[in-house]
């Protein structure tokens, strides 16, 4: 449970909207950050309670959006677009390269908890396919080479990595 | 009225209303555009992409592919459903939906009445091109009513839109995204909604199916079905009971725009299995000897005649039935008339009788508008008084939920919180017997707190409705509610008023011209003045006011469809078919006379109770009485439309009855008692006599027991879950539930009919 003053802040935020449920996404975001990057069952329940929606609704939202995690994830979450444009432009090659380099399969987290690899639907960046995101950063026209460079950089300055 | 405009659909010009939904227009005109996510009750969503057509804003403008369900009609619009590209597109949508759908219709429970099957055939998708494995899901346990099979889902969202958005249930959700969306509860568990069975009908595929129906393999086309009216409460939902061989296999709602439209409640849907019980009666029994019904009728007629000759006409009385048709109750009066008697009692107590008769006469006077279910949905103010709508008239609750969704304020005055209370603007918990006083305060205007809040909201409402229960025998409340509605009713602002009742035809028998208090009949039976009782479809031996009379009366004839305390004790038992095999007319809460018809099913009785009684009358030589038997003589009714009550046909919208007599003055309220009040709690599942015997309903019924408010429990040193002995104070003892949602100063007694536990008969298809 978050402390009372945070709970109040979250609840007050929802009061700004005509319908409190509009605040649900923001509340889930805050709770995910508070709980160390992912939402456990209790956190989803807490969000439902704060906002005043059913647990089923909160779970629906928490499982719909790509950037809510219902399981612990690594320090850097890589989401690779596998929708139509990126598929045509060879995202499979990118995924294969990442799986090989990180030694994990799609949906897994590296043993050192540094990277989590996930698929994502269209990032709205089709003209620069194939593309992916690492944390909050969007990467265009990715190739195995450009990817290696990026990952080398991230690995060399661990603390500065995107959250 | 919206403006009329012209649109062209596949080359033909049609006149439609501006802004009308194109898909609905086409469906109404009999053009079946394939669709899934659109449902008239829930409106469009645009999720499935199946209802595509080529739509151009005008004949000289280029058209493009659009979803018909998301398009509103505008003048000159050209819609081409049969456009080549649109046709191809719809076919491809089905192909996509079938990517993960199992190809096993022959073993699917939806098979034969599956919308996905229909749409697949219509779009002519026949060939599967994919070769990869199909996505699979785990199914959930959702309770005894609804079966879950997620692999069949096509992600149309109808289930959550019905269950959550429409019925305001909270325990069904859609989880996940892209091609992995799961529809179900958070965990295994019994669905909480009292309207969960409608999932079966709204889900276009076999994800949600009827758990009872699928238990014994039957295809829908193997069912024998005759349209009927639900017998489980006074709402009168239209239904399609389906029989196979000797048993009722399922009940589905039958569409009726004037009543229940698409849906029904779980009690009605699953409450019909009493028809299948091994305790159903098929033979007559006279003095312990089994015989053919015809022979039984002979014996009964002879015996009744004998008693009448020996002891005079006054020695015979009838006990009418609130769950039997107008015809059956009329036939009972014909039998009595043939014997020279006119003594009938249809109610369980004088209090119940007064409340129901007053309510029915107010309704039938048609002085105030009685809202139908669709009318209730449009109310902008709702006041519910005296009862628990969900438990006592379930579909009225679902209609009120629609009003609540449109932001109508909802106020509840009752002794106990029910399912609807969580949507109430404000609720007032008050002891039975005190509600009338509160209603009077509201009518008087002024007041404070709750009373003032209700009065203010009522004043500003444009289409208010007031609903009142008659199940607790409070005629003073019935009268007070009538006065309030009358004072709120003006020519330009009509105020709807609806009373609801204990049984399917309570409103009908409440309008009988001849009916006396059961206490009077009981007294005469006990004193020996009455020597014979003819009991029509009624377990009178289980009614406190009549139990002794039945036990002591010399000759009791019981006519019923199943074995109960009354038939067990009776001198003669004549079997009749159960409601869903029977025919006749019943009056619902609105005073709407509806006809229902039945099927003759092997293994059960062959006559409706009305036929049994008419046969007795005939044996008594009363053919003149039978021929002259006129509804109008027996009941104080005509119809608003002038249609004869016995001219109503099954499946039409029935007719609202009308009575010329003015409502009698309500009795003045009893002085509010200062002590604790004991009263009967009706539960959605288990309190209604017939449905309580149905195994799935019995499974959902709570245990019988007592309820006290925490304060009252504390002052008696009682705690939740303990066996409370309140014999001294109230003459009862039982399992205690401490309920904060119960009015202080009251003892609630949960009426749960003891279910006859009987295994379902094994029948091979
Ligand atoms: S479960 Fe049925 S109603 Fe719900 S989304 Fe799937 S197919 Fe549609
Ligand atoms: S609301 Fe009443 S009439 Fe309608 S289905 Fe339920 S029990 Fe039957
Ligand atoms: S398909 Fe990958 S960004 Fe649109
Ligand atoms: S019915 Fe129109 S998109 Fe589903």
């Amino acid at each position: 449970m978050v402390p009372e003053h945070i709970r109040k802040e979250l609840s007050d935020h929802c009061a700004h909207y005509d319908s409190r449920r509009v605040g649900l996404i923001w509340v889930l975001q805050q709770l995910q950050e508070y709980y160390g990057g992912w939402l456990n069952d209790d956190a989803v329940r807490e969000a439902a309670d704060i906002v005043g929606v059913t647990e089923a609704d909160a779970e629906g939202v928490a499982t719909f959006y790509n950037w809510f995690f219902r399981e612990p994830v690594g320090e850097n979450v890589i989401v690779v677009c596998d929708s139509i444009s990126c598929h045509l432009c060879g995202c499979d090659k990118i995924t294969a390269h990442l799986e090989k380099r990180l030694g994990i399969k799609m949906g897994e987290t590296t043993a050192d908890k540094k990277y989590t690899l996930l698929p994502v639907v269209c990032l709205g960046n089709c003209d620069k396919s194939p593309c992916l995101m690492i944390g909050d950063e969007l990467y265009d026209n990715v190739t195995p080479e450009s990817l290696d460079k990026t990952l080398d950089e991230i690995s060399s300055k661990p603390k500065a990595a995107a959250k | 009225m919206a403006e009329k405009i012209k649109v062209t659909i596949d080359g033909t010009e049609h006149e439609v209303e501006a802004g009308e939904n194109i898909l609905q227009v086409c469906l109404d005109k009999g053009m079946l555009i394939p669709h899934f996510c659109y449902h008239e009750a829930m409106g469009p969503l645009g999720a499935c992409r199946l209802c595509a057509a080529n739509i151009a804003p005008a004949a000289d403008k280029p058209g493009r592919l659009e979803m018909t369900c998301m398009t509103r009609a505008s003048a000159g619009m050209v819609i081409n459903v049969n456009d080549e590209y649109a046709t191809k597109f719809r076919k491809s949508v089905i192909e996509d939906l079938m990517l993960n759908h199992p190809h096993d219709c022959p073993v699917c429970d939806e098979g034969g009445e599956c919308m996905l099957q229909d749409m697949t055939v219509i779009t002519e998708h026949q060939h599967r091109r994919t070769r990869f494995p199909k996505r699979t899901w785990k199914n959930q346990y959702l309770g005894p009513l609804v079966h879950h099979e997620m692999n069949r889902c096509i992600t149309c969202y109808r289930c959550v839109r019905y269950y959550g958005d429409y019925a305001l249930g909270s325990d069904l959700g859609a989880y996940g995204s892209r091609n992995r969306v799961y529809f179900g509860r958070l965990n295994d568990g019994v669905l909480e909604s009292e309207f969960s069975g409608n999932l079966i009908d709204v889900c276009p595929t076999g994800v949600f199916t009827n758990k009872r129906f699928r238990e014994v393999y039957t295809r829908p086309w193997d069912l024998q079905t005759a349209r009927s009216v639900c017998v489980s409460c006074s709402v009168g939902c239209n239904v399609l009971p389906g029989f196979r061989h000797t048993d009722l296999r399922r009940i589905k709602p039958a569409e009726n725009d004037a009543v229940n439209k698409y849906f029904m409640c779980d009690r009605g849907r699953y409450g019909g299995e009493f028809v299948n019980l091994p305790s159903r009666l098929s033979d007559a029994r006279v003095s312990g000897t089994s015989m053919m019904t015809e022979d039984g009728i002979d014996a009964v007629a002879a015996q009744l005649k004998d008693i009448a000759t020996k002891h005079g006409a006054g020695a015979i009385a009838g006990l009418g039935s609130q769950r039997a048709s107008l015809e059956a109750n009329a036939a009972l009066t014909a039998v009595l008339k043939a014997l020279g008697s006119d003594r009938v009692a249809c109610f369980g107590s004088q209090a119940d009788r007064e409340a129901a008769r007053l309510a029915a006469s107010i309704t039938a006077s048609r002085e105030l508008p009685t809202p139908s279910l669709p009318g209730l949905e449009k109310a902008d103010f709702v006041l519910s008084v005296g009862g628990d709508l969900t438990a006592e008239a379930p579909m009225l609750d679902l209609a009120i939920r629609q009003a609540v969704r449109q932001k109508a304020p909802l106020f509840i005055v009752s002794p106990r919180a029910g399912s609807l209370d969580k949507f109430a603007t404000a609720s007032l918990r008050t002891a039975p017997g005190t509600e009338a006083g509160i209603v009077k305060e509201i009518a008087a205007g002024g007041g404070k707190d709750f009373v003032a809040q209700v009065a203010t909201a009522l004043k500003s409402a444009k289409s208010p409705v007031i609903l009142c229960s008659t199940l607790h025998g409070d005629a003073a409340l019935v009268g007070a509610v009538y006065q309030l509605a009358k004072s709120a009713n003006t020519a330009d602002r009509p105020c709807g008023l609806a009373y609801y009742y204990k049984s399917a035809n309570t409103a009908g028998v409440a309008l009988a011209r001849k009916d006396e208090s059961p206490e009077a009949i009981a007294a005469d039976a006990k004193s020996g003045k009455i020597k014979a009782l003819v009991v029509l479809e009624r377990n009178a031996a289980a009614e406190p006011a009549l139990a002794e009379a039945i036990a002591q009366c010399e000759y009791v004839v019981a006519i019923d469809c199943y074995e109960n305390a009354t038939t067990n004790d009776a001198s003669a038992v004549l079997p009749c078919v159960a409601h869903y095999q029977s025919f006749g007319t019943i009056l619902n809460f609105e005073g709407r006379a509806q006809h229902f018809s039945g099927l003759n099913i092997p293994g059960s009785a062959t006559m409706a109770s009305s036929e049994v009684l008419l046969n007795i009358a005939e044996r008594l030589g009363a053919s003149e009485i039978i021929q002259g038997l006129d509804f109008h003589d027996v009941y104080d009714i005509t119809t608003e439309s002038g249609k004869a009550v016995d001219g109503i046909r099954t499946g039409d919208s029935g007719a609202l009855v009308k009575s010329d007599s003015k409502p009698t003055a309500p009795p003045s309220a009893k002085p509010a008692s200062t002590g604790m009040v004991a009263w009967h709690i009706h539960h959605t599942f288990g309190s209604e006599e017939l449905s309580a015997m149905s195994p799935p309903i019995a499974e959902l019924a709570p245990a019988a027991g007592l309820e006290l408010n925490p304060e009252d429990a504390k002052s008696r040193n009682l705690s939740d879950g303990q066996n409370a002995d309140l014999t001294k104070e109230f003459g009862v003892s039982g399992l205690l539930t401490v309920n904060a949602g119960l009015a202080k100063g009251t003892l609630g007694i949960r009426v749960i009919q003891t279910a006859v536990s009987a295994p379902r008969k094994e029948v091979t298809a």
Side-chain angles (χ1 to χ4, degrees):
Chain A
M1 295 278 258
V2 294
E4 197 46 46
H5 73 276
I6 299 187
R7 191 187 157 92
K8 183 169 180 313
E9 187 190 326
L10 298 178
S11 177
D12 288 351
H13 177 89
C14 299
H16 291 152
Y17 304 105
D18 281 349
S19 161
R20 285 183 63 87
R21 57 183 303 125
V22 178
L24 180 58
I25 293 180
W26 188 79
V27 168
L28 284 168
Q29 283 172 334
Q30 305 311 306
L31 290 181
Q32 175 159 295
E33 200 171 311
Y34 182 87
Y35 287 114
W38 69 289
L39 293 161
N40 61 19
D41 291 357
D42 287 340
V44 175
R45 223 165 281 145
E46 201 176 352
D49 191 41
I50 291 171
V51 181
V53 296
T54 66
E55 263 180 74
D57 270 358
E59 177 73 12
V61 171
T63 52
F64 180 83
Y65 291 103
N66 296 297
W67 290 104
F68 287 132
F69 305 115
R70 292 287 276 111
E71 279 175 40
V73 287
E75 205 178 302
N76 302 287
V77 179
I78 307 176
V79 297
V80 186
C81 173
D82 62 0
S83 290
I84 297 174
S85 308
C86 293
H87 179 78
L88 291 174
C89 294
C91 67
D92 286 354
K93 250 191 273 159
I94 303 296
T95 304
H97 182 73
L98 275 167
E99 287 183 339
K100 200 164 146 218
R101 176 172 165 137
L102 300 174
I104 52 173
K105 289 260 166 267
M106 209 35 132
E108 292 177 351
T109 300
T110 52
D112 62 1
K113 305 270 181 297
K114 217 150 161 92
Y115 295 101
T116 296
L117 190 55
L118 294 170
V120 75
V121 273
C122 186
L123 290 170
N125 198 34
C126 307
D127 56 330
K128 303 188 187 70
S129 299
C131 56
L132 53 77
M133 285 177 84
I134 304 177
D136 292 342
E137 267 326 298
L138 177 63
Y139 295 87
D140 306 335
N141 300 327
V142 188
T143 61
E145 296 72 36
S146 73
L147 199 50
D148 277 338
K149 218 174 120 216
T150 311
L151 290 179
D152 287 344
E153 267 168 38
I154 292 173
S155 306
S156 64
K157 38 178 180 169
K159 288 285 159 232
K163 61 171 184 217
Chain B
M1 255 327 231
E3 181 201 350
K4 289 272 182 206
I5 53 165
K6 292 213 164 73
V7 298
T8 309
I9 307 174
D10 282 336
T12 315
E13 209 174 61
H14 294 273
E15 200 181 64
V16 301
E17 271 173 32
E20 248 189 293
N21 183 304
I22 297 288
L23 176 55
Q24 189 61 48
V25 165
C26 293
L27 295 176
D28 288 347
K29 297 199 183 299
M31 291 173 263
L32 184 56
I33 302 187
H35 63 283
F36 283 122
C37 62
Y38 179 80
H39 187 290
E40 203 180 346
M42 276 95 71
L45 181 68
C48 72
R49 317 315 284 170
L50 185 57
C51 66
N54 184 300
I55 301 179
D60 55 356
K61 296 261 165 50
R64 61 173 187 183
L65 203 62
E66 277 184 70
M67 298 306 127
T68 50
C69 74
M70 301 299 283
T71 309
R72 293 179 175 282
S74 65
M77 198 173 242
V78 180
I79 300 131
N80 280 315
V81 180
N82 289 330
D83 170 73
E84 196 191 327
Y85 183 65
T87 309
K88 255 199 202 151
F89 178 83
R90 292 193 298 265
K91 185 172 174 177
S92 79
V93 169
I94 289 287
E95 182 170 12
D96 289 346
L97 290 175
M98 291 302 295
L99 290 181
N100 280 303
H101 193 90
H103 288 240
D104 61 353
C105 299
V107 300
C108 172
D109 295 303
E110 189 83 356
E113 51 183 359
C114 173
M115 209 171 158
L116 180 58
Q117 275 182 334
D118 293 348
M119 299 305 157
T120 307
V121 172
I122 292 173
T123 55
E124 296 177 359
H125 162 67
Q126 287 145 345
H127 184 67
R128 173 159 57 133
R129 289 183 291 171
T130 48
R131 289 290 171 268
F132 49 82
K134 289 178 188 269
R135 171 205 62 207
T136 54
W137 294 109
K138 279 195 183 122
N139 303 325
Q140 286 180 329
Y141 166 77
L142 298 176
L145 309 183
V146 179
H147 176 77
H148 192 223
E149 213 158 291
M150 249 315 280
N151 287 348
R152 307 191 182 279
C153 181
I154 54 161
T155 325
C156 70
Y157 282 80
R158 269 188 180 194
C159 52
V160 283
R161 295 179 73 222
Y162 162 72
Y163 195 95
D165 300 354
Y166 188 90
L168 303 179
S170 59
D171 58 329
L172 191 88
Y175 317 108
S177 64
R178 30 205 268 168
N179 61 347
R180 290 188 305 263
V181 188
Y182 189 88
F183 296 84
R185 285 172 43 93
L186 282 173
N187 303 104
D188 281 23
V190 181
L191 287 169
E192 286 163 13
S193 171
E194 293 85 354
F195 309 98
S196 66
N198 295 320
L199 284 173
I200 297 163
D201 301 329
V202 297
C203 176
T205 74
V207 179
F208 296 106
T209 52
N210 185 326
K211 208 171 211 168
R212 298 296 295 178
F213 184 54
R214 73 189 293 279
E215 227 163 70
V216 184
Y217 177 88
T218 305
R219 280 302 181 202
W221 58 76
D222 290 328
L223 292 172
Q224 275 179 289
T225 300
R227 195 173 167 121
S228 189
V229 177
C230 177
V231 74
S232 298
C233 85
S234 66
V235 175
C237 296
N238 287 211
V239 294
L240 294 168
F243 286 86
R244 173 111 158 109
H245 302 306
T246 57
D247 283 355
L248 177 88
R249 285 297 166 73
R250 71 160 181 205
I251 294 177
K252 264 173 80 104
E255 243 182 89
N256 187 332
D257 286 353
V259 194
N260 54 317
K261 218 136 191 213
Y262 311 98
F263 303 128
M264 71 186 296
C265 80
D266 289 350
R267 174 159 98 211
R269 190 186 291 264
Y270 293 96
E273 281 184 45
F274 67 88
V275 173
N276 305 347
L277 293 177
S279 62
R280 72 174 140 185
L281 292 163
S282 54
D283 296 323
R285 196 170 62 227
V286 177
S287 316
T289 314
S290 230
M291 58 181 74
M292 304 271 288
T293 308
E294 294 283 341
D295 299 336
I297 288 172
D298 285 342
V300 166
Q303 186 68 26
L304 286 174
K305 200 171 201 168
D306 203 41
I307 292 172
T309 334
K310 244 198 244 149
H311 303 282
I316 298 172
L319 296 178
S321 170
Q322 298 173 43
R323 60 172 155 92
S325 63
L326 291 178
E327 286 83 348
N329 282 286
L332 177 63
T333 55
V335 167
L336 294 171
K337 202 166 171 190
L339 294 161
S341 167
D342 63 355
R343 303 198 62 182
V344 197
C346 296
F347 289 88
S349 71
Q350 171 66 357
D352 285 348
R353 177 176 175 272
E354 278 185 350
R357 283 180 72 90
L358 178 59
S361 68
I362 291 171
T363 305
S365 75
R366 300 295 164 202
E367 184 186 351
L368 296 170
T370 310
S372 61
L373 265 79
L376 281 174
E377 294 178 358
K378 292 187 203 92
D380 68 349
F381 165 96
V382 183
L383 172 62
S384 162
V385 193
D388 177 348
L389 272 169
T390 327
E392 299 173 0
M395 281 296 282
L396 295 187
D397 161 306
L398 190 60
I400 298 305
R401 285 175 198 233
Q402 305 321 307
V404 167
R405 288 178 63 204
Q406 304 301 320
K407 305 259 181 294
L410 164 65
F411 299 98
I412 301 176
V413 181
S414 74
R416 183 177 182 267
S419 300
L420 208 50
D421 279 81
K422 55 177 173 293
F423 308 112
T425 314
S427 295
L428 188 71
R429 293 282 89 82
T430 180
T434 61
E435 294 123 321
I438 291 155
V439 171
K440 280 188 188 145
E441 277 181 51
I442 298 171
K448 43 184 200 330
D449 305 336
F450 179 85
V451 168
Q453 198 184 354
V454 178
T456 317
L458 175 56
K459 212 172 271 165
S460 60
K462 290 205 176 56
S463 49
V465 297
I466 305 175
L467 298 135
C468 174
S469 171
T470 66
L471 278 82
H472 304 280
D474 190 348
L477 175 61
V478 170
V481 167
Y482 166 59
Q483 294 301 341
L484 171 62
K486 211 158 97 169
S487 67
N489 186 57
T490 58
D492 46 345
R493 205 284 300 265
C495 178
L497 169 64
Y499 296 103
Y500 50 94
Y501 307 83
K502 176 167 162 267
S503 297
N505 195 27
T506 304
V509 296
L511 291 167
R513 289 184 193 271
K514 278 265 178 276
D515 178 74
E516 45 184 301
S517 89
E519 285 89 349
I521 291 209
D524 285 350
K526 276 188 266 180
S527 73
K529 196 166 155 212
I530 291 175
K531 303 273 184 227
L533 284 171
V534 183
V535 189
L536 167 63
E537 298 198 56
R538 172 169 180 183
N539 188 3
E543 295 175 29
L546 291 163
E548 251 182 88
I550 298 270
Q552 287 173 16
C553 187
E554 232 166 76
Y555 188 69
V556 175
V557 185
I559 301 159
D560 215 333
C561 61
Y562 77 105
E563 198 81 68
N564 54 37
T566 311
T567 59
N568 258 321
D569 266 7
S571 331
V573 179
L574 298 174
C576 64
V577 292
H579 173 84
Y580 293 115
Q581 292 157 256
S582 185
F583 60 86
T585 311
I586 52 179
L587 253 57
N588 78 347
F589 75 100
E590 308 162 76
R592 183 185 299 277
Q594 297 194 97
H595 195 266
F596 59 98
S597 20
L599 290 162
N600 234 325
I601 300 299
S604 56
T606 50
M607 283 185 218
S609 57
S610 55
E611 294 173 300
V612 172
L613 284 160
L614 289 178
N615 269 291
I616 298 176
E618 211 171 12
R619 304 288 205 282
L620 292 169
S623 37
E624 249 172 62
I625 295 176
I626 299 174
Q627 265 152 32
L629 189 65
D630 185 338
F631 267 166
H632 193 72
D633 294 337
V634 183
Y635 307 98
D636 182 15
I637 47 174
T638 51
T639 63
E640 277 206 310
S641 55
K643 186 149 83 172
V645 178
D646 47 9
I648 295 164
R649 292 289 159 259
T650 304
D652 64 14
S653 53
L656 291 175
V657 303
K658 197 167 159 296
S659 132
D660 294 329
S661 55
K662 280 264 161 286
T664 51
S668 50
K670 285 168 255 141
S673 85
T674 42
M676 291 279 288
V677 189
W679 64 288
H680 285 154
I681 300 170
H682 290 256
H683 199 270
T684 312
F685 304 117
S687 297
E688 189 274 323
E689 179 190 350
L690 296 175
S691 61
M693 292 187 287
S694 189
I697 298 295
E699 192 175 335
L700 291 171
L706 308 174
E707 293 190 13
L708 281 176
N709 177 281
E711 277 182 37
D712 292 326
K714 205 167 155 219
S715 66
R716 286 170 180 74
N717 274 327
L718 295 168
S719 53
D720 191 71
Q722 102 181 68
N723 208 345
D725 184 3
L726 296 169
T727 336
K728 275 218 199 86
E729 205 177 347
F730 300 104
V732 287
S733 64
L735 189 73
L736 181 73
T737 308
V738 176
N739 180 356
L742 190 79
K744 265 179 270 175
T746 72
L747 170 77
I749 305 170
R750 274 202 302 270
V751 206
I752 300 300
Q753 311 280 345
T754 22
V756 185
S757 65
R760 220 167 132 85
K761 278 187 282 175
E762 269 314 310
V763 183
T764 41

